[in-house]
Amino acid sequence: MLRTARALPTLLRVGLAEAVAYRAEFVVWLLSTNMPLVMLALWTAVARDAPVGRFGQKDFVAYFLAALVVRLMTGAWVIWELNFEIRQGTLAFRLLRPLHPLVAYACENVAAMPLRLALSLPIALVLLFTVGGTRVTHDPLLLAIFPLTVVGAWLITFLAMAVVGALAFYVDSAGSVFELWMGLFGVFSGYLVPLELFPPWVTALARFLPFRYMLAFPVELLIGMQGRARALGELAVQWGFVGLLLLAALGAWRLGLRRFAAFGG
């Protein structure tokens, strides 16, 4: 544990340097997260004449701008790194280091966060507080736990990617499995449609799946769609998913390593 703590500053510096070096990839990533803006334009047009449920035009603006903010802060890409390094055998280099590879992957993902936020988050925040600012919660307790919900959402995203990425130890197309995961994410996370606009059985089902806690929960909390008691209960559920996925990722990693072999000179 102490050795890992000593290595963290170096890993974060290396991760930040890589993020700066690959600026073109950053731009591509930024463009790939613009779906909330597309859905914002679509749903505000739908609500022009009459509200949809309890969502008027300003409610949709606040919801999807908050979704953009959360999405920007919770992005991860470990699935593609794992899939590539396991298939190519370059994972062997990470295994030689006295540090768990998942910790190294996590540091690389987190290290890029300041650059991504510096370039993109101010734009989203200005839009959020100028166009949809009246819909943002002013409850100090909800604002205080909002960062915890974002960290929980990022951990669920990262750990779920680690679990799916570990399938590359067994199959050639772990990326295809992740595409299925992203399809479910689009439906049950509130990324495309606010969950309460779905039929009640879909909304109820979403509460038993991790997708809601990757996006919709922090968004609903930020724009004041949840009271204190419900928010605290859902925060406990979110971190319960974090614990379950952490165990699943460590278990999948340990089992997968038994099948890993790399050759080279």
Side-chain angles (χ1 to χ4, degrees):
M1 184 65 73
L2 181 60
R3 185 168 50 191
T4 300
R6 289 176 178 172
L8 286 180
T10 301
L11 290 172
L12 292 174
R13 285 197 298 271
V14 172
L16 180 60
E18 289 180 348
V20 173
Y22 296 104
R23 294 183 292 275
E25 288 187 3
F26 168 76
V27 173
V28 172
W29 171 82
L30 186 64
L31 294 175
S32 70
T33 57
N34 65 356
M35 184 55 72
L37 297 178
V38 175
M39 301 312 297
L40 184 156
L42 175 64
W43 281 104
T44 52
V46 171
R48 180 178 301 134
D49 296 327
V52 181
R54 62 166 163 166
F55 282 83
Q57 281 188 307
K58 288 188 176 180
D59 298 301
F60 279 121
V61 170
Y63 181 90
F64 285 111
L65 288 180
L68 177 61
V69 172
V70 173
R71 186 66 177 151
L72 289 173
M73 291 192 292
T74 57
W77 54 86
V78 66
I79 171 70
W80 295 281
E81 291 180 313
L82 267 177
N83 193 51
F84 176 81
E85 294 186 6
I86 291 173
R87 306 313 316 166
Q88 297 298 318
T90 54
L91 179 66
F93 296 110
R94 290 186 184 271
L95 297 176
L96 293 175
R97 301 171 185 170
L99 186 70
H100 197 293
L102 289 182
V103 175
Y105 287 126
C107 290
E108 291 170 5
N109 281 228
V110 170
M113 196 67 70
L115 178 63
R116 292 184 295 173
L117 296 182
L119 295 178
S120 57
L121 188 56
I123 301 173
L125 287 176
V126 168
L127 289 173
L128 179 62
F129 284 99
T130 55
V131 182
T134 56
R135 299 301 193 273
V136 177
T137 183
H138 295 89
D139 188 314
L141 176 63
L142 298 184
L143 290 174
I145 66 175
F146 175 69
L148 288 177
T149 68
V150 173
V151 174
W154 182 83
L155 284 171
I156 292 175
T157 302
F158 176 83
L159 293 171
M161 284 187 173
V163 173
V164 177
L167 294 177
F169 286 116
Y170 301 93
V171 299
D172 293 333
S173 55
S176 299
V177 177
F178 186 69
E179 290 178 4
L180 173 62
W181 170 274
M182 289 302 295
L184 296 173
F185 171 82
V187 175
F188 291 105
S189 70
Y191 190 50
L192 304 178
V193 182
L195 288 175
E196 71 174 48
L197 298 184
F198 281 112
W201 69 269
V202 176
T203 305
L205 177 60
R207 296 189 184 282
F208 293 94
L209 299 173
F211 307 104
R212 165 178 172 73
Y213 302 95
M214 296 166 65
L215 185 78
F217 171 47
V219 169
E220 293 174 1
L221 186 146
L222 182 61
I223 62 175
M225 292 177 62
Q226 297 193 2
R228 287 187 172 190
R230 180 180 166 185
L232 291 174
E234 294 220 55
L235 181 65
V237 175
Q238 184 192 44
W239 282 85
F241 274 115
V242 171
L244 289 174
L245 285 169
L246 176 60
L247 294 176
L250 294 176
W253 183 263
R254 179 172 297 180
L255 291 174
L257 279 184
R258 296 176 182 175
R259 297 175 54 88
F260 180 70
F263 304 92

